[in-house]
Amino acid sequence: MKAPNPHAVGPPAPYRFARADFAIALSLWVACVALLLQTSSMGYTRDESFYFRHSVTYVRWISGFLGKGEPAKWTSKDSVYRYWHSTGNNMEHPPLIKVLFGLSWRTFGQKQRRIGAPFKHGKYGLVIPLLANAEELGLKVGDRLLVSHPKPVSAADGDRPERLAGGTLVSAKPRALIKLDGDPLTPASFHRVCDQRIDSETKRPLTIGGCTAQNDGPLALLREDLSMRAPAMVFSGLLIALVFLFGVELFGRIPAFFGALILFFTPRFFFHSHLTCFDVPIATLVFATQYAFWRSESRRTWALGAAVLWGLALLTKHNALLVPVGLVLYWLTAHWREYRLALPDSSALRLFGPQRAPRWRSAIAIALGIATLVGGALLLGLKGAIAASLLLAIAYGLRLRLPSIPLAFLLMPPIGFTMLVLFWPALWYDTLANLEWYLNFHLKHVHYSQQYFGEVLGVPPFPISFPFVMTLTTVPEALVVLSGTGLALFYLPWQRLSAWLSRDEPQSAKVRSLLALVPLSPRARWFIAINGLIPIAVIAMPSSPIFGGVKHWFPTMPFVSLIAAGGFAFIWKLAERGLPIKSSLQRSAIALLCCLLLLTPPLRASLHNVSTGTSYYNGFLGGVSGAASRRMHRQFWGYAVRGALPWLNRRARKNARVWFHNATWGAITMYKQVGLLRHDIQNAALQQAEIAMFFHQRAFEPFYNEVQRAFGTKTPAHQITIDGVPVLSVFVRKGR
């Protein structure tokens, strides 16, 4: 009969949440999404402008596949490659989040498009054409549309144009035709009502464009750009809810509340939570997978959830491939006391006990083993030593007894990789070749320049300190201080230090009593440390691309926030000892008040920097202006142009040619579609433009002098700044 392992650790008891915990988590989720929907004032980033297009392309394929057409036609290799595989359709990233962007746009988006002049149709009578592809917009015959007057350039960002009439789509092919209720527009009145209005004195347009029509269904709740951004906002709120629940399990409600919201109000995370990008969704799905694994250790049914969530993460971004690494390392370290090396009774290496081998036999076995290891190392280096070790283990009958393997480890590979192939059509054909292309794209990713304390980092090796210094200087000061407190509390060997510094037993007892204020199990410490460290450690590797700034290690941040929650709990417990108040309700109210006071500066910083989120630096670096004086990277992605659009709409002449610099054509198109940019303004090369935008970014400095020479002026006509630091300058050609 096998003797029990005295160091074996049984499965932990499952934590039981109260209903109030789930109610608070749900409230946080809803509140975070609602706030994000109300603060989406930043411009469209370069990546977003590409994902706008790819999302529509994917949804077009899905609509065709689920429609009345032949499924075989849509699942053919030609169709799949045309819609999913080509480099023009973003094969470098899996499709899940882009599909969600597109489905949200198709379902909830207010898709506003221009209309043409009315004419008499032989079948429908007086109709007006919709100057867009109705099927691509998800419109079908019988759908209701809203026709609006031209939108004034003086209208505020969120103002909707004045309603003109309602109508019904009576034809989708070959042209989209709208039959208005009561025929309020005639060929004679159309130009008077719907043409872009021009100021008679300045000759500048007074309206964004002409009349427009948009879908008017009950689900058309969000402006087109916001409907594309909404899924990432939902994922952000979900992450906050999950961090809260994990925090409740570890530290209690109020510290968990603080940890969740200090993450949400980290200004750069808050900024990225708005975007039609993958960084916040993948952070959410990675953390959800890790938390499901954590729960599966106490309740095996969670193992299936961990496997499915990992499959969803794989379908989102390649970061998901690191998740099993962290979970396996955690399992190996958290259960290290359960490892055992077993020897057969007849082994020559059995040196002790009643069944020990003769000493001469053991000596020969040990000598041969050493000779084999040394020989393998000399001949083949490290690989030879490893191979020799394996051969010796087999020859001597060594057996390594491991802790019981978690069920999640058995389910994650088959379920996760099956989901990846099944739900990514690009992998349906030439699976291995396409997987190889996908992985190589990221393993050999191009590098873009970052400015780091005046040094331009464009080619590896990059400083190992980069992600750690960037984290310390771009998160709220309270998060730095309290996470540092938590790290010191949970990861420094206080009891050993106390015993070494003082032999006084009362002193050691005092240290133990302090540590007991916020207990955290060794299992939880290993889980947080390993899974939190891996994402940022990968970016710290000198060869890793660093062009995305802090967003590439967002999967680290939930664990940093949990550590900060522990730091908050510890400081509060210390302070609580001195409070004369005995009522637990009053103590909780004071703790909550302290929590809210600590969250106020990050909240203000997040709202203040929401339009220029990648420019944010905390007070340790002197804020945005201090970072600029230290020549830190100011911005990227070309989104700051949105702040200049109101000025451009008012000041540019009709059909003005504008050089938009780092803003993409896809972003400009979306600005026009949602009514933020005049339809007549044209995108032009620098030499042909009469107005030029310049993004203040170190890599673009040569353009600055070129713009000034070409336009004959060194003085910008308009600037967008944050705390006095320019992020965008607008130049007008001399004589215009």
Side-chain angles (χ1 to χ4, degrees), residues 23 66 74 94 97 286 294 404 474 499 557 569 583 614 639 675 725:
L66 298 177
W74 293 95
I97 301 303
V286 164
W294 168 268
S404 59
T474 61
M557 297 311 297
S583 167
T614 60
Y639 62 88
V725 176

Side-chain angles (χ1 to χ4, degrees), residues 340-356:
R340 285 292 176 271
L341 279 175
L343 290 169
D345 293 343
S346 60
S347 174
L349 296 181
R350 188 173 289 277
L351 303 178
F352 305 100
Q355 296 178 336
R356 65 179 181 271

Side-chain angles (χ1 to χ4, degrees), residues 197-451:
R197 296 165 194 170
I198 308 296
D199 187 289
S200 57
E201 295 183 2
T202 64
K203 306 301 180 184
R204 294 191 180 104
L206 296 174
T207 58
I208 295 294
C211 290
T212 57
Q214 72 172 50
N215 51 313
D216 194 29
L219 294 179
L221 304 172
L222 301 173
R223 197 173 69 181
E224 187 170 2
D225 56 343
L226 208 53
S227 69
M228 287 276 198
R229 285 176 163 178
M233 299 177 183
V234 172
F235 275 102
S236 177
L238 175 59
L239 178 57
I240 301 310
L242 292 174
V243 170
F244 170 77
L245 290 175
F246 200 0
V248 168
E249 183 174 345
L250 297 177
F251 307 116
R253 282 183 193 157
I254 294 178
F257 183 80
F258 171 81
L261 288 186
I262 196 71
L263 170 62
F264 185 63
F265 292 125
T266 295
R268 294 207 184 196
F269 179 86
F270 187 74
F271 170 83
H272 283 279
S273 293
H274 294 80
L275 305 183
T276 309
C277 291
F278 314 135
D279 305 292
V280 170
I282 188 59
T284 302
L285 288 169
V286 164
F287 186 76
T289 305
Q290 292 162 334
Y291 187 44
F293 178 87
W294 168 268
R295 299 285 293 173
S296 75
E297 289 197 290
S298 56
R299 185 167 293 173
R300 288 166 64 87
T301 52
W302 277 91
L304 178 60
V308 172
L309 286 167
W310 189 55
L312 295 176
L314 286 173
L315 284 162
T316 299
K317 204 175 180 186
H318 63 283
N319 307 50
L321 294 169
L322 292 173
V323 172
V325 177
L327 296 180
V328 170
L329 286 177
Y330 154 72
W331 174 68
L332 291 174
T333 52
H335 299 274
W336 67 272
R337 289 181 177 272
E338 299 178 59
Y339 303 152
R340 285 292 176 271
L341 279 175
L343 290 169
D345 293 343
S346 60
S347 174
L349 296 181
R350 188 173 289 277
L351 303 178
F352 305 100
Q355 296 178 336
R356 65 179 181 271
R359 302 212 175 240
W360 64 269
R361 187 178 171 195
S362 298
I364 293 174
I366 292 172
L368 288 174
I370 294 174
T372 304
L373 282 173
V374 172
L378 291 175
L379 290 174
L380 299 174
L382 179 61
K383 294 179 181 179
I386 294 173
S389 300
L390 293 175
L391 288 173
L392 287 171
I394 295 171
Y396 293 150
L398 282 173
R399 290 174 296 176
L400 177 63
R401 292 178 181 172
L402 296 174
S404 59
I405 298 176
L407 178 60
F409 287 168
L410 303 178
L411 296 179
M412 286 173 68
I415 292 177
F417 288 118
T418 299
M419 289 177 63
L420 179 65
V421 175
L422 185 62
F423 297 116
W424 192 0
L427 300 181
W428 290 356
Y429 300 95
D430 305 320
T431 304
L432 294 179
N434 288 330
L435 269 175
E436 182 182 9
W437 184 95
Y438 164 59
L439 295 174
N440 281 333
F441 177 87
H442 295 286
L443 291 172
K444 302 175 182 178
H445 203 292
V446 296
H447 297 277
Y448 303 108
S449 297
Q450 287 276 307
Q451 193 175 4

Side-chain angles (χ1 to χ4, degrees), residues 27 38 94 159 339 616 644 649:
S27 299
Q38 295 299 317
D159 289 351
Y339 303 152
Y616 172 79
N649 288 332

